[in-house]
Amino acid sequence: MSLRFKTLIIIALTLVFLIISLYIISSHIVLNHIYLIENQKNKDNLDRVIDGLNEKIKKISISTADWANWDDTCIFIKDRNKVYIESNLTELALNNLNISLIVFVTSDGKIVESRGIDQETGKMVSSAPESFLKKISPESPLLKHSDINTPTEGIVMLPEGALMISSRDVISSEGTGPSRGTLIMGKFLDKEEIENLSEITHLPVDFFPINSGSVPGELKNIVAANSENPLFIKNIDSNTGLAYTTVKDIYGKPVLVLRV
């Protein structure tokens, strides 16, 4: 074999090695980039749903503020007059507000009055769910606000389901204190509300209690290791993937899992 032929073989093998190496390196870079893009897209989708959920809670908070910053409500918490009840605590009023419950609490933590909407019939009932009323105490975040204009907003988990709530100090129509008590409004995150979130975000959306069998064990491990920014992605096939994260309640505890 001539030296020239040997040289050509060495050059050819070197080129083949370089091409294979370049392909492997390029594939790794491209696939890693695609993975990062897909991860970011999944995170963005989750953020869109969280933003939609927060917007629903803000709407409840606006309604709570309208009723809490009102002289008539201040007077009612003090004297519990029937005129206020007959004029305002009606089935039509609660359905127009799109809330599941309303609770009035004195400044020392005593429940003055409450009403609820039956989730199945849509009819008003004479009291908010007992499971929620038990959570109202002087030590609860529901009755503690940093100032008279700052609400407590978020999620409270009940046996009946996840409840979106807003709690505000009752003050005068002019927006002045002192606080006369607390007004709480809540709306269950039911099937209709979840379907509405899907419509708003154009994404298939599901919520599960964090301890339910529908939550992947991998996510629970991620939450245990990093509760601040939990994210778990499960690829179903080349075109479909599921992204999971958690939603905390007003006590700062992860209670719901969001799946997109």
Side-chain angles (χ1 to χ4, degrees), residues 228-244:
E228 291 305 314
N229 298 294
L231 173 64
F232 174 66
I233 297 170
K234 180 179 181 180
N235 292 317
I236 304 302
D237 53 43
S238 59
N239 296 314
T240 308
L242 301 175
Y244 298 82

Side-chain angles (χ1 to χ4, degrees), residues 64-211:
T64 310
D66 287 342
W67 282 50
N69 298 4
W70 190 16
D71 290 339
D72 285 6
T73 303
C74 293
I75 295 169
F76 172 68
I77 282 190
K78 182 179 180 180
D79 66 12
R80 309 181 189 188
N81 64 87
K82 291 184 178 181
V83 174
Y84 184 94
I85 294 174
E86 293 170 355
S87 300
N88 301 295
L89 300 185
T90 65
E91 184 177 300
L92 178 61
L94 268 62
N95 280 317
N96 284 342
L97 289 168
N98 191 31
I99 58 175
S100 303
L101 60 83
I102 183 170
V103 183
F104 300 81
V105 187
T106 63
S107 55
D108 58 355
K110 295 179 181 178
I111 297 172
V112 174
E113 193 72 51
S114 73
R115 290 289 187 276
I117 293 291
D118 186 280
Q119 294 186 80
E120 294 183 0
T121 65
K123 299 294 183 179
M124 188 173 72
V125 292
S126 59
S127 173
E130 186 65 25
S131 58
F132 180 70
L133 298 181
K134 287 180 179 179
K135 293 183 177 292
I136 298 174
S137 68
E139 296 76 28
S140 170
L142 293 167
L143 303 188
K144 289 185 176 180
H145 309 104
S146 58
D147 60 67
I148 60 173
N149 294 306
T150 302
T152 295
E153 301 172 343
I155 298 291
V156 171
M157 286 300 297
L158 300 177
E160 295 86 349
L163 183 71
M164 303 177 287
I165 66 100
S166 174
S167 163
R168 285 182 175 269
D169 281 306
V170 175
I171 55 178
S172 71
S173 297
E174 288 76 28
T176 59
S179 172
R180 281 73 164 181
T182 302
L183 177 63
I184 305 169
M185 291 186 183
K187 171 67 177 175
F188 280 106
L189 185 61
D190 55 19
K191 181 180 178 181
E192 183 179 342
E193 292 295 325
I194 294 173
E195 288 177 350
N196 181 248
L197 271 175
S198 292
E199 292 175 5
I200 292 170
T201 59
H202 303 289
L203 294 165
V205 176
D206 288 298
F207 287 90
F208 309 99
I210 196 165
N211 294 319

